[in-house]
Amino acid sequence: MMRSKKWGVGLALTAAVLLTGCSAGAEEKPADEKPTAAAEQEETTAPASDDCPELAEGASVDGTALGACITDAMASAAGYAGTTSVLGMESTMRYNPADKAVESISPMGSLIVIGDDVWVKSSTSEWQAADPESSDPVIAALSASAANLEGVDPAEAAGGLTGDFTVTGTGTRLDQEVFLVSGTADMQGLPVDVVYEVTSDYVILASTASADAGGQSIETSMEITEWDMPQDIVAPV
């Protein structure tokens, strides 16, 4: 029973990554790539337009190029907040890119990441330092997820995006026009059908994903509800 519960928790957290398009290689990406992106961010608040794929109805889009542009574009935000739905479980999220601060609150549990420090709590525990080896499967799963921001931040996750995509339409989010970028991403060998809602300056304002894992259908969604607004994320202990 405990093993099944832990697997379910891990699946839910994996599904959370799927909705942002994190690829199989994202967790294996060398850590020194991120400072490079940060250094580029100091020089410009957005990637040069000729380095980013065209976003227009019918256009073909390379996922790797799009992901890099999304990561860089969203890193310039003062902060943002959003909601996710993973296997029917609703969560709220807040991000401050400059501080590499993330807060996620869900019925399963909560986590706060500030720089290299991580705290987690389950629905029945107090806040505690992250411990991937915890005997509590929820604490262990939350800790493992928080150890890599690709697991909880859509901007970071986009850096691992791969695959071929197509702009299939347009829409509106937060009073901004968005392009519907559709395709199939790969997560640890698992094909994931995804649709991203991306602004003309490469900000993901929403996404949906669906996949079949071990005979279980995974449906996820993400929506940014506040964009470019500082978030009050503080250490819980």
Side-chain angles (χ1 to χ4, degrees):
M1 181 69 175
M2 181 66 72
R3 181 177 181 181
S4 175
K5 181 180 179 183
K6 187 169 184 177
W7 178 85
V9 169
L11 179 60
L13 291 172
T14 297
V17 179
L18 298 188
L19 65 88
T20 55
C22 184
S23 73
E27 291 185 359
E28 301 168 0
K29 188 169 59 175
D32 60 0
E33 288 189 18
K34 290 183 181 178
T36 300
E40 292 174 355
Q41 185 59 40
E42 292 178 1
E43 299 176 5
T44 177
T45 57
S49 59
D50 57 355
D51 293 333
C52 294
E54 178 188 13
L55 295 181
E57 287 197 62
S60 297
V61 178
D62 176 72
T64 301
L66 178 64
C69 293
I70 289 170
T71 299
D72 285 349
M74 296 184 73
S76 66
Y80 48 100
T83 61
T84 65
S85 175
V86 179
L87 298 173
M89 181 176 63
E90 300 288 338
S91 304
T92 60
M93 310 172 299
R94 298 193 296 163
Y95 311 93
N96 275 331
D99 302 326
K100 285 199 173 292
V102 179
E103 178 185 70
S104 175
I105 301 173
S106 74
M108 183 181 69
S110 303
L111 64 87
I112 290 178
V113 180
I114 302 177
D116 295 328
D117 297 318
V118 181
W119 300 269
V120 298
K121 72 182 296 294
S122 69
S123 59
T124 58
S125 75
E126 299 297 323
W127 283 104
Q128 58 191 280
D131 179 11
E133 303 301 320
S134 173
S135 59
D136 183 326
V138 176
I139 295 298
L142 286 168
S143 300
S145 173
N148 190 337
L149 280 179
E150 275 110 351
V152 286
D153 184 346
E156 293 286 337
L161 185 62
T162 61
D164 298 319
F165 297 84
T166 303
V167 179
T168 55
T170 60
T172 303
R173 288 276 181 182
L174 296 180
D175 297 324
Q176 297 189 62
E177 181 184 33
V178 292
F179 295 90
L180 307 182
V181 183
S182 306
T184 302
D186 181 84
M187 175 66 176
Q188 298 177 352
L190 180 70
V192 184
D193 295 324
V194 293
V195 179
Y196 305 108
E197 298 185 23
V198 187
T199 67
S200 60
D201 52 355
Y202 305 99
V203 172
I204 291 181
L205 292 182
S207 64
T208 58
S210 61
D212 183 86
Q216 180 168 356
S217 177
I218 302 175
E219 303 287 339
T220 69
S221 63
M222 183 277 293
E223 178 183 355
I224 298 297
T225 54
E226 291 184 357
W227 172 248
D228 205 17
M229 297 178 62
Q231 305 295 313
D232 184 22
I233 303 174
V234 298
V237 294

